[in-house]
Amino acid sequence: MLKDIRVSCSPHISERLSTRSVMIDVIIGLAPAMAAAGYYFRIHALILICTCVISSVAAEWLCNAIRKKPNSLDDFSAVVTGIILALSLPPNLPVWVAVIGSVFSIAIGKMVFGGLGANIFNPAMVGRTFLTASFGVLMTSWMVPVTIDSEIAKIDPDNKIKAVAEEGLVHARTRATPLAWSKQAIKSELGADLYSEEQFKATLTGEVGGSLGETSAIALLLGGLYLLIRRTINFHIPLAILVSAFIFGAIAYLIDSYSYVQPLYHLSSGGLLLCAFFIATDPVTAPLTRRGMWIFGIGVGMLTMLIRIVGEYPEGVMFSILLMNAVTPLIDRLCKRIPAGGKPSA
Amino acid sequence: MILANVLELWSSVWPAGVTMLGLGSGFALVLLIASEKLKVTVDPKIEQIHEALPNLDCGACGFAGCGQYAKAVLGDPELLGKCAPGGPETSSKIADVLNLQVSDSGPQQRPIVRCRACTADKTLYAQYQGIQSCIAANALANVQACGFGCLSFGDCTRACKFDALHIVDGMTIVDYEKCTGCTACSKACPRNLIEMVPFGYENMMIVACNSKETGKSTRSICKVGCIGCGICVKQTDVFSVEDNLARIDFTRYEPNEQAETAMNKCPTKVIIYRGKTAPEPPQPGKKPVAATKA
Amino acid sequence: MLKIKHFIQESWLLIVASFAFGLLIAVASASLDARIKQNEKDKLDNLMKSLISDANDFQIAIEQAEIPGDRGRVETTDVYKALGEDGGVIGFAFVAVGAGFADKIKLVIAVDGKCEKFFGFKVLSSNETPGFGSKIKDDDPESDVDFADQFKGAPAQEFELIKTGKLEVIKKIDSQIVAISGATVSSDAVVKIFNMYTDKIREQLRQKGLIGDGK
Amino acid sequence: MDTLNILLMGFISIVIINNLVFTKFLGICPYLGVSGRIDMAFGMGLAVTFVVTLSGTLTWMIDNWILMKLGLEVTRYICFILVIAGAVQLVEMYMRKFFPSLYESFGIFLPLITTNCAILGLCLFINLWGINSLLEAVVLSFGAGIGFTMAICIMAGIRENLNLADVPECLKGAPITLITAGILTLAFMGFAGMIR
Amino acid sequence: MKVNVKGRFSFPGGIHPPEKKDLSREVEIQPGPAVKEVAVMLSQHIGAVCQPLNRKGDAVQAGQKIGDCDAFVSAPVHSPITGKVKEIALRSHAVLGRSSAIVIEAFSYSPTRRSYFKLKDDFDEKNYSAGQICEAVRQAGIVGMGGAGFPTRVKIEPNPQMPKETLIINGCECEPYITCDYRIMLEWTNQIIAGIKLARKASGCSQVFIAIEGNKPKAIEVMNRALESFANSDSIKVIPVKTKYPQGGERQLIKAILKKDVPTGGIPPMIGVVVLNVATAAAIAEAVISDLPLTHRVVTVTGEAVAKPGNYYVPIGTSVEDLIEFCGGVTKKSAKVLLGGPMMGIAIADLKTPITKATNAITVLTKEQIGRAKFARRQTACICCGRCLEVCPENLNPTKIAHAVKYNFLDVAESYYISACMECGCCSYVCPANIELTGYIKTGKIFLARQKKKIPG
Amino acid sequence: MANESQPTTGLYKETLLAGLWRENPVFRLLLGMCPTLAVTAAVKPALTMGLCVIFVLVCSNIIVSLMRNLLKPHLRILMFTLTIATFVTIADLFLKAFALTMSETLGPYVPLIIVNCIIICRAEACASKNGLIVSVIDALGMGVGFTLTLCVLAAIREVLATGMIFEVQVMPDAFVPWAAMGMPVGAFITLGLMLGLVNLTNKKKAKSSCHEV
Ligand SMILES: Cc1cc2nc3c(=O)[nH]c(=O)nc-3n(C[C@H](O)[C@H](O)[C@H](O)COP(=O)(O)O)c2cc1C
Ligand SMILES: Cc1cc2nc3c(=O)[nH]c(=O)nc-3n(C[C@H](O)[C@H](O)[C@H](O)COP(=O)(O)O)c2cc1C
Ligand SMILES: Cc1cc2nc3c(=O)[nH]c(=O)nc-3n(C[C@H](O)[C@H](O)[C@H](O)COP(=O)(O)O)c2cc1C
Ligand SMILES: Cc1cc2nc3c(=O)[nH]c(=O)nc-3n(C[C@H](O)[C@H](O)[C@H](O)CO)c2cc1C
Ligand code: SF4
Ligand code: SF4
Ligand code: SF4
Ligand code: SF4
Ligand code: FES
């Protein structure tokens, strides 16, 4: 009668969802940011994104080949890592640096832990941090968007735009990066009010210097919204990050509104939005439970602002991500779920 | 001249010497008193093991110092060999201490696998997709037609710490050279196919089947299953048949003519030898496909 | 009595050994001590000499000068005077300490005999990140300007750290110091150390009458 | 107020910014060895905190009040190590005899840390940094212990997770722990320069 | 214990798989095949196995008791047909593997539409004492027909240590595909209510809730109407619960209706609740009032691969093969045969497996459907997305437990409360990485049980 | 361990080689990790450190071996510590006198040799049980093994972090140094990967204990 039947454990049906579809969703969510990057940085964006994706994928393939494990490229997670890494790098980064970063991300950040799902730290951030530590100068040299008239942009001969303090009010959009500017304002006691309305608008559209994918707040919000609607990510982590960062920024602003920028500027500039929607939400490295996600998000937000405000670096996103990744196992342990019926008495 | 030099040296050197002397003797005294006054009695076994250890308290074993490791090893001999500084030498010493507890009387217990169906002998009703473990597969009725035979997913081979079990062409084969008789495999098998029996001889005769089906239904699903026909019982009373399945009383088994006859007369050739030098088991009827290494 | 005997029995080896080792160390120390002291002095001398190339000899001018630092700490340092060919004082040098990016930075700073101009500084010890903060001591062969060069001949007054990278600003010797890009903190630390010591040292030199009080 | 400030800053600095494990490479052996399980790691951390506070204080006193006064700095290393070893051994025996439950929870780790560089290292660093008040020495020593506890607990959490992952066979155990520690140091760089 | 009937009766977690009930929802209960042979398993319930009361060759009457056991937690089995005992042999059992069954060859069996259950006009549960009801239930061999097969007598018998207050009648039928309870509620309404009253009487409960999922409005209506027309049914309420899987799980049902949690590792009577399936209630009525043992049951035969899906009233012991054959055989597409629904049902390989008292459905899935389910598709590693945590009705951490089992850290699995899992399958259903979480958890539970059994011995 | 009465050249060779590879203190015993990580930013300090360790190891093994029959159990470890601390102090003094820069670079890691588990481990495992010659050879083997490992690690790091080795440029001019390799990260990750590589080379047939699907 029946010849070709199968047996297996229940359940025998499942939702139409796969790791690959989740990853593709993330790529779609990143598309607006990539488009914005492409618009503002043109060929630089294309080169950087392609380099990172290709070398990430190649590195993953190689690692699997070395371990004689089945190929795992079709889950697309390496592509996501590549894109996120690219979006967090300065647009004019030399290609070879991007290759080193991608290979480090995948090999040390992911594959040595056992590949997809096993990594403790966010691979892209591991790569970026390594690059920052290794090639600090290259990693902090920013270019202005090509859409800005070169007449206005006072680009130094060596193409490193260090904000020129003595010229006072430089054209808002040509300052290094919004955060670097605000940091410098604190240090040189120029006062953060130089951080103008115009600049804030520029951070929304993205016509500012900065990492490839972080400049346009609107594009990031759009992508984040897509992920939220698709339920690829939960709202907990982004909300916790943005709210805690805002509160922290607000406290600093209230204490000294002369040297610290308005909290809203903090949200719109730098990698915070990219982080909140795409990086901190990396499910692998974030806590599993809702309560854990709140703690994680608040931690990321607070650490980011702590580093931005008190620390040495203008941007704290990648460090706070890695730090919170490190304590994620502890958070998960702390937020261990208790069965619905309470702990068994025995 | 030299004397003067020496004296001069001495004069600059003595404070250090004396300080050290004071320190040294002070510590010696305190430690001596402490070691006698604050002595805590512990299990002599632990003490023995502790003594065998290098006492470096380096933590390489993953425990909080040698004392803790000693305690742990006593409880769980599988932890043996974790002391990197001590090396194999220390391990063997600890093993000696531990072995004092093991009484060895009677023949060694060794596992036998009571199923000899190779892949070709088995009948399948369906294809199993899922977790590749015997326990998981056994939870589903009739993953194989025979509800008693070896599932060949190798839970037992994973349980064996000594690499003494292998799945060859769907059969679980014990490597009696490597086997230490630790019983881990017999505990692991969800179908209770692996039985620890006293190996009175180098090779033991076993009934390599576990099927309690009636002869007819056994025959319909397995070429090498015991059909409970009772021919073997007629040869020697070492055999008995219960629940359609022949068994051997291993405590009374000895290699002799009758047993040999029983083995040869078994219609499905389910009585075979197992042991270090056991001959290849005979094949009933048509030869199955040559055993390919799994 | 028995107890003492027991003690001796158990511990004589340790006691003897500690005594012997104590002596051994002391002997080693005694024989190497002079050299060690000399080494340290040589190192300092060399650094000071490289700053004040005309100096023939260095002598302690102020012993344990006290410099009040951050948060109520007090640093102490010896101030050396550099003697020229003619035996006249041609400059002063001292070791200055301050917090850098990673750890403390120790500098040797030299000023001229009137405490008006700096001869510059050398790094005695620092633990700044290689490639970043370590540039305060490296003479970077690639760049045509050197961070340390900005201090050579600079007036002995408050320095100001700025971040502009224009070559003219760097080349200009004045009280504006351009930070090393990527190592603002370390640059700032050096400037802070200068600012912290300069006035205090001048004050003390003046008190001791080693320099005139006219500016 | 100033003193308090110094103490507080010193404490924070040694816990996170100049963490012994991440920046000074001290105490790596137990960090690799005893970080397999969180409860063990925590016990180890407590024990280190206790011992490091004790020995940091003791050695500072001996150094400043005896050795420096007598000009016997050459014997510093010997004195330090003897004080540490002796004190630890005594405390361990004492605890074992009179507080067995306390001993079970963290006393068992005591012997393990005599040969741990974090202890001696900290005493040496305190000397090297020229800490000249007893209070500061105590706070720094305590902070060092807390920093170690934090580091080893984080690592233990991570390793418990890695148990349930498909780490390449050849990297299991110490290698992956080292790599993780490497990335952790990268992460902790974020705090660099926060307090000077 | 006031109940807010208006609230949204639901529980945290759960999933919404496609219902697929249309296949057999509107098909009335029909007589099953004319079987020639039935195999009555000696163990159809949780508890002690029955001993056969007959020998090979004995003739047996329909309704005759053919297996019994003295143990408290057990239930006798009866022959559904008149015939001859052919043999006592091993048959496949969905849970127990190979297990003994009494094989009865029918002299003649012609299935008839089950005669309509007539509730006598003078029916009043007060005419029966609690003891009488319990004994009748036991003698009729009634076990839970909702799936687990726990002897019903044990459930309803008053227990002084755990006084029962609430009786919940489980008409949720949350599993996709299955419709037998729905049909029973529509067609045997009065019988169910009589059964409920008897069960209430026997267990001494003061209030009764009939839980029906919101996607069965007709059943709710019919039930409500029947209650109105019945005397003495004011303490019985129909509660429309949220449509969601596994709403029918008793712990979830109790949570939804009473907002109470059954203690982990505990059973509902600990908080004074009894949960009975609607079919069980109907069986109670039949047993007590008409003195009929449990020999037949309604089975839904369904699935896209079945030619004639429907609900059939069949003798217990009928083989799956016969039943599927009766429904027009299976089409070529069929690839998986399940006893039960697709979420909790057990896949069987041996189609000779007989139906037991707890078998509520036979679902035959097509290749295309199982292709879309786990196993066939590529698995990846867990991406820790947390979906499995979100849907777990027991508030567990399925991925941790499953991975602990996979990597052989059973103590870790235990520390994450592996034993609290009810194997509902929600976690596997949603996992984007296609990990067989439920399978691993099941494996781990078996493993632990083996370990526990071995260690003291 | 060796029986002292009949030492053979083979045994000596065996002992020597054991320290170099088979029982390499860093790779196999995982001991003395702190200096391994701390001093390997460049080859020079690594080599200096290694030499110091060899010196201390040999001296303390000699002393312990000579005293081995006089040791009392409760004072044994104290005795070892004392011996080692003495020689470390001497080594430190020598460094200060003859290699001031190195002494400054190594800083407190020289005195930390006292607690380096390798030395106390060899004292315990070898010297306190063996005769003079075996102990010395063992010390040399272990010490050289340690030093070589340190140097390899340091070489990798120095080349990548500065493009130089022994402060001599070896990489092409276009090479941009990877500053991170000179930082703690570099130390941890390089050593981790090296350990992995070593494990790989002598990997025995390892069985995975999980139920793979
Ligand atoms: C996800 C992400 C993380 C980042 N993390 C950091 C960081 O931790 N440190 C940093 O200096 N820049 C980081 N950046 C870059 C900053 O957002 C921004 O471009 C930088 O602050 C520019 O200022 P800078 O020199 O002046 O550093 C990150 C960018 C992204 C997109
Ligand atoms: C790995 C790393 C190490 C650093 N080390 C130093 C350092 O030693 N000294 C320093 O002043 N800045 C150091 N920095 C950079 C500072 O944190 C900060 O970004 C810099 O002072 C900003 O200066 P800029 O505006 O000139 O770029 C380091 C940065 C990184 C990423
Ligand atoms: C996940 C799950 C789903 C269940 N769904 C139902 C259901 O839909 N209908 C039902 O009657 N019982 C269902 N049950 C069984 C009930 O939990 C419970 O055992 C039953 O209602 C008790 O009644 P019984 O003893 O009469 O079978 C389910 C159990 C589980 C674990
Ligand atoms: C919502 C979401 C966010 C992700 N973010 C990152 C990321 O920030 N960095 C990264 O390397 N991979 C990211 N990934 C991809 C993937 O999870 C990651 O490569 C794993 O950490 C690899 O194990 C993301 C995936 C998802 C679904
Ligand atoms: S598990 Fe033990 S008894 Fe079984 S084969 Fe291996 S060594 Fe022998
Ligand atoms: S003997 Fe048992 S455990 Fe081993 S493979 Fe066969 S069924 Fe599995
Ligand atoms: S199968 Fe178990 S773990 Fe999974 S959702 Fe259901 S109760 Fe939770
Ligand atoms: S649903 Fe699957 S992928 Fe997501 S956390 Fe659970 S097991 Fe992992
Ligand atoms: S070498 Fe530092 S703790 Fe062992």
Side-chain angles (χ1 to χ4, degrees), chain A residues 88 128 140 142 177 180 211 214 271 274 279 314-319:
Chain A
S88 70
R128 193 190 192 282
T140 48
W142 311 97
T177 69
S211 298
E214 73 179 14
L274 184 63
I279 302 177
E315 174 64 297
V317 167
M318 68 184 175
F319 294 114

Side-chain angles (χ1 to χ4, degrees), chain F:
Chain F
M1 266 296 158
N3 184 344
E4 206 202 331
S5 57
Q6 30 186 247
T8 61
T9 355
L11 175 75
Y12 295 154
K13 208 167 137 194
E14 175 94 337
T15 317
L16 190 68
L17 289 180
L20 292 185
W21 178 253
R22 198 160 39 78
E23 284 178 34
N24 183 301
V26 176
F27 291 150
R28 289 300 139 68
L29 306 178
L30 291 176
L31 292 178
M33 291 311 226
C34 303
T36 312
L37 292 163
V39 303
T40 49
V43 182
K44 227 160 132 187
L47 191 61
T48 321
M49 183 71 179
L51 292 179
C52 289
V53 168
I54 294 180
F55 167 75
V56 177
L57 199 48
V58 171
C59 292
S60 65
N61 259 17
I62 291 175
I63 300 276
V64 171
S65 172
L66 289 177
M67 296 190 307
R68 69 184 185 279
N69 295 326
L70 306 172
L71 292 170
K72 293 282 186 292
H74 73 282
L75 294 176
R76 202 171 51 161
I77 297 290
L78 199 65
M79 204 49 230
F80 294 165
T81 320
L82 190 68
T83 317
I84 296 166
T86 307
F87 290 108
V88 169
T89 312
I90 292 173
D92 189 45
L93 288 172
F94 264 88
L95 272 189
K96 276 197 184 127
F98 300 106
L100 185 62
T101 19
M102 270 303 114
S103 162
E104 274 170 4
T105 316
L106 293 176
Y109 294 99
V110 177
L112 279 176
I113 296 176
I114 299 174
V115 278
N116 189 327
C117 313
I118 299 174
I119 297 178
I120 204 162
C121 170
R122 289 336 289 172
E124 162 71 34
C126 177
S128 69
K129 299 184 187 117
N130 283 299
L132 194 59
I133 303 176
V134 174
S135 303
V136 170
I137 289 180
D138 178 81
L140 276 177
M142 285 287 163
V144 174
F146 180 72
T147 312
L148 281 183
T149 321
L150 240 60
C151 288
V152 172
L153 184 58
I156 297 175
R157 287 183 62 198
E158 192 177 357
V159 167
L160 288 179
T162 61
M164 298 187 283
I165 199 162
F166 267 116
E167 285 153 34
V168 177
Q169 185 86 24
V170 290
M171 295 298 261
D173 277 347
F175 176 77
V176 179
W178 304 14
M181 295 306 284
M183 299 175 191
V185 212
F188 280 113
I189 288 180
T190 319
L191 183 60
L193 291 180
M194 269 171 76
L195 274 179
L197 215 62
V198 171
N199 284 350
L200 203 62
T201 55
N202 55 303
K203 186 177 85 182
K204 295 197 199 79
K205 209 189 120 239
K207 288 192 304 164
S208 90
S209 57
C210 74
H211 315 282
E212 300 251 349
V213 175

Side-chain angles (χ1 to χ4, degrees), chain B residues 134 150-156 167 172 189-190 193-194:
Chain B
C134 303
C150 176
L151 291 161
S152 319
F153 291 117
D155 282 14
C156 48
I167 309 271
T172 303
C189 178
L193 280 180
I194 306 184

Side-chain angles (χ1 to χ4, degrees), chain E residues 298-311:
Chain E
V298 181
V299 176
T300 307
V301 184
T302 182
E304 276 86 347
V306 175
K308 232 168 49 184
N311 305 292

Side-chain angles (χ1 to χ4, degrees), chain B residues 131 135-136 141-142 187 189 213, chain E residues 92-93 98 349 439-440 447 450:
Chain B
I131 300 164
I135 287 197
N142 287 92
K187 285 181 192 139
C189 178
E213 302 274 353
Chain E
S92 295
H93 185 288
R98 297 294 278 181
Y440 279 114
F447 205 90
R450 287 182 60 82

